[in-house]
Amino acid sequence: MPRFRIPTPTVPAALQPKPKRPGSAQGPATPAEQAAEGGIHVVDWIDERTSLSGGLRWMMFRKVPKGTNWFYTLGSATMFAFLSQAVTGIFLAMYYDPSPTRAYESVRYIVNDAFLGEFVRGMHRWGSTVMVILVFLHMARTFFFGAYKYPRELNWVIGVALLILTMAMSFTGYLLPFDQRAYWATIVGVNINGTGPLVGPYLSDFLRAGPEFGATTLSRFYAIHMMLVPGLIAALIGAHLYLVAKLGTTAPPWLRAKTETKLDEDEV
Amino acid sequence: MNQLEKEQYLREYAQLKAQGKPFFPYAIAKDSAMAVITLAVIIIMSIVLGAELGPKADPTTTTYVPRPEWYFFFLFEVLRIIKPPEYVPMATIGVPTLCMILLFLLPFYDRGAERRPERRPIATTAGILTIFAMAYLTFLGANAGSPNEIDMAPPSDLKGAALTEWNEGRLVVAQSGCLACHQIGENGNHGPGPRLTDIARNLPAAAIAETLRNPTAPMPSFERLAQEEPEKFDAMVAFLGSLK
Ligand code: HEM
């Protein structure tokens, strides 16, 4: 008897297993049934050793309150844009060379010669715009719906950190093509950081890898852009989503529960 | 929110949740549809708008306007609006830092129990105003002329060829990125370089030319310009030499 069972209420009727006709042979008969049995075995084997199914069920079969609408897809769309950036970024990293003498040529190689290079670079470039727009829209949704209020305060704070990190991604990524626009915008940007109080000068020295724009500045931006900040973003998205699943997404604020449904002890 | 309001909220929420639908497959279906739309938009933008690569970065020939990505325009515009040097750090770091802190702490100072936007007039108005302000600043930033412009009238005693040279010099200086580090009149950044508004009072034109050729780091050298396009270089010196 397999231990992992798909909870029946969520499966549409057409997909539910049909009961065997009385009198048919015991055991799996058709190859399709055999394959299904094999699949269940594998899942069982993994689950017996990891107990993943509990967490998965907790995440996937939790209830979403009534009235949830399209505005609630903005968060996951942001996450999807981030994943798209990660994938296209990996392909760009296969060709990119973060040295001041070769960076520009490597990007030109990507655009002119690499297979689908211009397309992938375009996706990465415009994906950043899409992601920034989606972050702001998602933030506006949670703001106007009052979703930052008790008990979701912490999720708002994590969200603001994600917003800042997203902007940091676009700032560090802007330098990498190393064309005129990239270079001069970054010089000015770093200088602006430098005018800040207390940490300002240290921050711009850290970004430049020294008191002036030098040979290692580019590789420093590259490391920040492709390892430090994305790592932080991925970790914070994990925390953000954990809290969303734990606390549940808000219902639209003007919605009231219609009837007093009786609640189980563990749902309150 | 006091204890009572918190408990009321949790009870109400538990009911709404119990009356809701499971995340899988209902919310997942919407999320997936949105993911497909997102990907389609990115792909279409990539195909239509492409990925242009400008000329290679060249720290010496600096006829280039530093321009950030469009979603930084609003920050950039705050910078342009606040001109007096003593306020510049406030504009660059003060205002954005303050906004970030206000944003971080929002759930801790807005603690009312009400969630409907139409019944939270202060929060809703502030939100809408913020959106309009950012949109307006972005619009201004997008339409701003080159940030490397010097708004300055020529000295009244200049005429003819000298005037043409002065104007040419003003243009070259404006386009050479000097303003990223120097202030000239109303324009430019306050440091790291010294203010050039009345540089000719301390330095004769010959000394200015010498500094342009052999500057102290981090300023870029204009030696190449002097060799390749001497008339531009001379115009630069003439313009800077007039700043008294
Ligand atoms: C990389 C950026 C971000 C990602 C990937 C992300 C992802 C998500 C997802 C998937 C949800 C589930 C509900 C929904 O989709 O609306 C969510 C909820 C939430 N997010 Fe984000 N988010 C990001 C940035 C932000 C920002 C910038 C804020 C606000 C400053 C924020 C605040 C919240 C809050 C308060 C909730 C709970 C909403 C509710 O329960 O109704 N998030 N986020």
Side-chain angles (χ1 to χ4, degrees):
Chain A
M1 192 57 205
R3 272 180 61 235
F4 179 78
R5 240 182 290 142
I6 300 167
T8 35
T10 59
V11 180
L15 294 181
Q16 275 172 26
K18 297 185 183 61
K20 284 229 167 76
R21 303 186 64 175
S24 67
Q26 290 293 311
T30 66
E33 276 172 353
Q34 272 174 339
E37 194 79 351
I40 291 175
H41 253 79
V42 173
V43 173
D44 270 348
W45 189 93
I46 295 174
D47 195 44
E48 192 176 343
R49 284 153 186 84
T50 59
S51 308
L52 274 179
S53 67
L56 215 62
R57 213 172 309 168
W58 176 77
M59 189 81 191
M60 301 305 275
F61 299 120
R62 70 196 153 95
K63 287 241 183 128
V64 173
K66 241 173 40 165
T68 329
N69 53 32
W70 284 95
F71 288 116
Y72 288 75
T73 61
L74 291 168
S76 70
T78 314
M79 183 170 74
F80 190 75
F82 175 71
L83 290 180
S84 162
Q85 291 301 88
V87 172
T88 49
I90 288 171
F91 282 108
L92 293 177
M94 291 174 185
Y95 296 97
Y96 182 72
D97 181 348
S99 82
T101 45
R102 308 254 299 284
Y104 181 79
E105 275 71 24
S106 69
V107 176
R108 198 165 56 191
Y109 178 82
I110 292 174
V111 174
N112 293 340
D113 300 316
F115 176 64
L116 287 184
E118 182 170 9
F119 176 63
V120 172
R121 178 163 176 248
M123 278 185 73
H124 197 71
R125 166 125 188 247
W126 296 107
S128 82
T129 291
V130 168
M131 182 172 168
V132 169
I133 292 177
L134 285 171
V135 171
F136 276 109
L137 289 178
H138 170 61
M139 187 167 101
R141 196 285 281 172
T142 55
F143 178 81
F144 288 115
F145 281 28
Y148 54 88
K149 298 193 170 195
Y150 175 85
R152 299 185 183 78
E153 296 95 331
L154 200 54
N155 224 12
W156 173 269
V157 172
I158 295 175
V160 178
L162 280 169
L163 174 73
I164 295 174
L165 288 172
T166 306
M167 295 312 254
M169 279 309 264
S170 104
F171 177 69
T172 50
Y174 205 59
L175 173 68
L176 301 181
F178 218 59
D179 54 8
Q180 283 283 67
R181 173 209 245 309
Y183 181 79
W184 289 106
T186 305
I187 294 254
V188 175
V190 173
N191 285 349
I192 289 175
N193 276 320
T195 61
L198 302 176
V199 291
Y202 298 102
L203 183 63
S204 48
D205 278 3
F206 169 74
L207 283 173
R208 276 185 303 235
E212 52 183 296
F213 202 99
T216 52
T217 310
L218 191 57
S219 56
R220 178 160 299 209
F221 268 63
Y222 186 49
I224 294 174
H225 181 78
M226 75 170 261
M227 303 215 260
L228 179 63
V229 182
L232 288 174
I233 290 185
L236 285 181
I237 288 182
H240 203 66
L241 286 189
Y242 167 75
L243 284 180
V244 167
K246 170 143 191 355
L247 303 167
T249 37
T250 50
W254 37 82
L255 215 66
R256 289 285 164 270
K258 265 206 220 83
T259 49
E260 291 274 312
T261 22
K262 240 184 91 43
L263 296 172
D264 295 339
E265 197 58 27
D266 63 315
E267 277 180 307
V268 180
Chain B
M1 276 174 106
N2 55 34
Q3 198 55 36
L4 180 70
E5 286 169 333
K6 285 183 182 169
E7 274 166 25
Q8 263 170 358
Y9 175 75
L10 290 181
R11 181 155 319 121
E12 172 88 16
Y13 179 69
Q15 297 220 336
L16 282 167
K17 199 171 170 182
Q19 293 166 8
K21 290 175 173 173
F23 180 70
F24 178 88
Y26 296 97
I28 285 275
K30 274 190 191 163
D31 283 349
S32 313
M34 195 63 181
V36 171
I37 295 174
T38 308
L39 193 64
V41 169
I42 295 177
I43 288 176
I44 291 171
M45 285 178 90
S46 170
I47 292 173
V48 175
L49 300 169
E52 51 152 352
L53 186 64
K56 186 175 179 174
D58 185 345
T60 53
T61 63
T62 50
T63 50
Y64 197 78
V65 183
R67 208 112 163 90
E69 188 68 303
W70 69 268
Y71 36 79
F72 284 118
F73 279 173
F74 69 98
L75 272 180
F76 197 64
E77 206 46 35
V78 172
L79 243 182
R80 283 165 48 83
I81 288 172
I82 305 183
K83 276 274 174 63
E86 57 276 22
Y87 294 136
V88 163
M90 199 188 87
T92 53
I93 300 293
V95 174
T97 309
L98 195 73
C99 291
M100 279 303 142
I101 292 174
L102 283 178
L103 207 59
F104 261 117
L105 296 182
L106 171 67
F108 304 102
Y109 57 81
D110 177 15
R111 306 165 67 100
E114 184 57 59
R115 281 158 207 257
R116 272 166 286 189
E118 70 274 18
R119 299 210 185 159
R120 298 187 289 138
I122 300 179
T124 305
T125 317
I128 293 175
L129 282 184
T130 309
I131 292 175
F132 273 108
M134 281 177 66
Y136 181 62
L137 286 175
T138 302
F139 173 79
L140 280 186
N143 287 314
S146 130
N148 290 4
E149 250 167 25
I150 299 175
D151 316 307
M152 193 178 260
S156 46
D157 53 342
L158 277 189
K159 299 220 168 52
L163 182 61
T164 325
E165 188 177 41
W166 187 91
N167 272 321
E168 159 86 357
R170 187 180 65 155
L171 202 68
V172 177
V173 170
Q175 290 176 343
S176 296
C178 307
L179 297 178
C181 301
H182 296 282
Q183 201 193 10
I184 300 178
E186 286 288 289
N187 308 82
N189 278 333
H190 179 57
R195 208 159 65 120
L196 300 182
T197 311
D198 40 23
I199 184 70
R201 250 183 237 165
N202 308 325
L203 278 185
I208 293 176
E210 178 54 28
T211 310
L212 289 176
R213 285 203 160 93
N214 300 308
T216 41
M219 182 171 146
S221 164
F222 289 85
E223 180 65 41
R224 281 238 310 256
L225 185 72
Q227 275 164 18
E228 283 161 22
E229 290 170 283
E231 66 291 349
K232 277 195 178 176
F233 184 83
D234 293 341
M236 250 176 133
V237 174
F239 169 73
L240 291 170
S242 79
L243 299 174
K244 289 197 177 105

